[in-house]
Amino acid sequence: ETYTEFGEEPYGDLWVAPMTSDSTFGSPQNMGKMINTPATDGTAAITADGLTMYYAIANQGKLGKQYGSSIYQSTFDHEKMKWNRFTLIPELQAFSEQVVDSRGKTKRVPTYDTHPTLSPDGNVLYFSSDRTGGLGEGDIWYETRAGNKWNQPLHASRVIKTDLN
């Protein structure tokens, strides 16, 4: 199904299929513009209590929708029974210089941070990134929570890094 509320075909959206019984799901429903953008939205991780969702929104560098992906969060509002508008996790965002034309001109754009996942207790957020300080194009990074704030991300090390993304 095509979702064209934003005036163009999206690259990818988050959808939900409501559980109707212990083993049956209803029809998938697009999560709407409080969660989805005209860019690529996806790979969601939800806390064990079901109240916070982390996911990547790609192409936030706005250079022909080619650069950058950042991780955002949304919280679930029990009174309204819906997800709140997404917000950027500022402690996680990083930038790099990318060549933007054939003359070698560069522009500062967000790094490509994707695929968030959580530890079972929700206090460690793992993700893939091409940020400076890694060993390649798509290394695994993690950050730990300190109360309601996230600490600065750390590289997961050579122990789990391969030569591939």
Side-chain angles (χ1 to χ4, degrees), residues 28-109:
Q29 301 167 5
N30 188 288
M31 294 186 76
K33 65 183 177 181
M34 293 299 276
I35 297 298
N36 292 310
T37 69
T40 301
D41 312 298
T43 313
I46 299 176
T47 55
D49 64 8
L51 298 177
T52 306
M53 174 171 53
Y54 300 94
Y55 64 102
I57 300 176
N59 306 317
Q60 295 300 294
K62 298 181 181 155
L63 295 172
K65 295 189 176 184
Q66 297 175 35
Y67 299 105
S69 178
S70 297
I71 297 175
Y72 292 75
Q73 67 181 19
S74 176
T75 56
F76 189 76
D77 185 330
H78 274 292
E79 290 181 20
K80 296 178 182 177
M81 293 303 290
K82 67 178 190 175
W83 290 96
N84 292 311
R85 181 132 182 100
F86 56 85
T87 58
L88 179 68
I89 302 173
E91 300 89 352
L92 181 60
Q93 193 169 36
F95 295 89
S96 66
E97 294 290 324
Q98 296 289 327
V99 176
V100 296
D101 66 20
S102 60
R103 296 177 305 221
K105 180 179 177 184
T106 62
K107 182 163 179 136
R108 186 174 184 249
V109 297

Side-chain angles (χ1 to χ4, degrees), residues 133-148:
L135 302 172
E137 292 183 18
D139 291 358
I140 296 174
W141 291 74
Y142 68 96
E143 61 182 327
T144 57
R145 184 190 312 270
N148 290 332

